[in-house]
Amino acid sequence: MVPFAGWTLPLHYGQGHLQSHLHTRRHCSLFDVSHMLQTLVYGRDRIKFMESLVVGDIAELKPGQGTLTLLTNEKGGITDDLIVTNTSEDHLYVVSNAACADKDLAILRDRAAQLQATGSDVHLEVSDNALLALQGSPSMARVLQAGLSDDLAKLSFMNSITTTVFGVPGCRVTRCGYTGEDGVEISVPAARAVELAEQLLGVPDVWLAGLAARDSLRLEAGLCLYGNDIDETVTPAEAGLMWTLGKRRRVAMDFPGAAVIMAQVKDKPRRRRVG
């Protein structure tokens, strides 16, 4: 167990790091990522609110669809990378990194207060759900489908549904995860998280995996890790993450640090992350 952003997290379980990494690639693994911040954004102005902070085109997301996006500062640096989902219900679902949770929440609350003061309808709710990530193909889909009434084949990458998972109602299942594998993240009511984890671990194909495998898997997949490859001194252009900027947003230049970032796109940044 190691300290991580105020939590104590498992580095690896009994089978070791290398075996865990390879098992995720060949079968599937269960990661407890409950340390990540889950925020719900309500109100008719929730999209305007979110787009005032991030670079992505949140307005174009269909119901149930999510996207990776970047929370930027006025210098164009990356304050955090987030997954924002436009749920089929009446809110946005935002997942932030644990190491950035306090500063992210402060930024979100401050911006919400600013907009509320000018008559906008937006309010935040921090979820106390646990978050479990089941990652790995081909086993993930077979293991999860056994406990789902919904057809997992109809849930495409970066899409999300609220459903019952192995008898636990009110779970949000999102087809994503930071391993480069086919996988899901399951936001589950905290009181039933252990129950759900034990159900999944009852399948021999499913192993528990810790921080070490999570880091090496994302590195092998060429995915950024906040605080390592990206931080507040690195812009989306320098990070090789310009694909997160929607065309409409590039034209409007209405996100924090837009002038700096778009100037780098035009003149090419002096440094760039290479995977």
Side-chain angles (χ1 to χ4, degrees):
M1 303 293 283
V2 294
F4 184 87
W7 300 75
T8 302
L9 296 182
L11 194 61
H12 58 79
Y13 293 86
Q15 63 273 46
H17 172 209
L18 182 61
Q19 292 89 335
S20 180
H21 178 114
L22 295 174
H23 185 86
T24 310
R25 290 273 181 256
R26 293 167 183 163
H27 302 283
C28 71
S29 298
L30 184 67
F31 299 79
D32 180 1
V33 289
S34 302
H35 54 289
M36 298 181 80
L37 174 68
Q38 301 174 72
T39 310
L40 312 179
V41 186
Y42 292 90
R44 66 174 178 275
D45 297 312
R46 59 188 181 271
I47 289 174
K48 179 179 82 170
F49 161 78
M50 208 69 226
E51 288 194 348
S52 72
L53 296 170
V54 302
V55 302
D57 192 338
I58 308 305
E60 76 166 0
L61 295 174
K62 299 179 180 68
Q65 185 181 20
T67 186
L68 176 75
T69 192
L70 306 173
L71 190 66
T72 49
N73 60 31
E74 293 302 334
K75 295 180 179 178
I78 301 170
T79 302
D80 197 8
D81 57 320
L82 318 169
I83 302 271
V84 178
T85 300
N86 179 25
T87 72
S88 299
E89 294 83 20
D90 59 347
H91 63 275
L92 299 175
Y93 169 60
V94 183
V95 180
S96 320
N97 286 303
C100 302
D102 291 345
K103 69 175 180 179
D104 285 8
L105 200 52
I107 289 168
L108 291 169
R109 284 174 169 161
D110 185 52
R111 185 65 181 139
Q114 289 172 12
L115 289 177
Q116 287 162 357
T118 60
S120 291
D121 177 29
V122 61
H123 63 277
L124 309 176
E125 184 181 305
V126 176
S127 172
D128 62 357
N129 276 12
L131 194 62
L132 301 176
L134 186 66
Q135 299 284 304
S137 48
S139 299
M140 181 283 295
R142 175 179 54 78
V143 170
L144 190 64
Q145 188 60 74
L148 276 186
S149 53
D150 297 84
D151 184 0
L152 197 57
K154 294 179 180 175
L155 187 68
S156 55
F157 182 59
M158 293 305 290
N159 278 263
S160 179
I161 53 170
T162 301
T163 186
T164 297
V165 185
F166 285 99
V168 181
C171 294
R172 174 164 297 285
V173 177
T174 306
R175 199 151 196 171
C176 68
Y178 232 55
T179 60
E181 286 293 319
D182 184 20
V184 292
E185 290 186 352
I186 307 167
S187 180
V188 52
R192 301 192 70 179
V194 172
E195 175 191 338
L196 178 57
E198 287 175 344
Q199 290 265 22
L200 294 168
L201 291 166
V203 182
D205 259 9
V206 184
W207 286 9
L208 277 167
L211 279 180
R214 184 170 166 82
D215 191 33
S216 57
L217 286 160
R218 70 93 200 162
L219 185 64
E220 188 177 62
L223 304 170
C224 289
L225 177 67
Y226 194 85
N228 190 355
D229 317 294
I230 52 175
D231 59 34
E232 293 189 9
T233 69
V234 179
T235 69
E238 292 170 334
L241 292 174
M242 285 303 295
W243 60 269
T244 60
L245 272 75
K247 185 178 179 183
R248 174 178 63 85
R249 305 302 310 279
R250 292 180 190 224
V251 174
M253 290 182 64
D254 56 353
F255 51 87
V260 175
I261 294 165
M262 295 315 295
Q264 284 187 339
V265 172
K266 183 182 174 188
D267 301 328
K268 301 289 185 264
R270 286 198 297 267
R271 58 176 185 165
R272 191 170 184 274
R273 177 184 65 93
V274 178

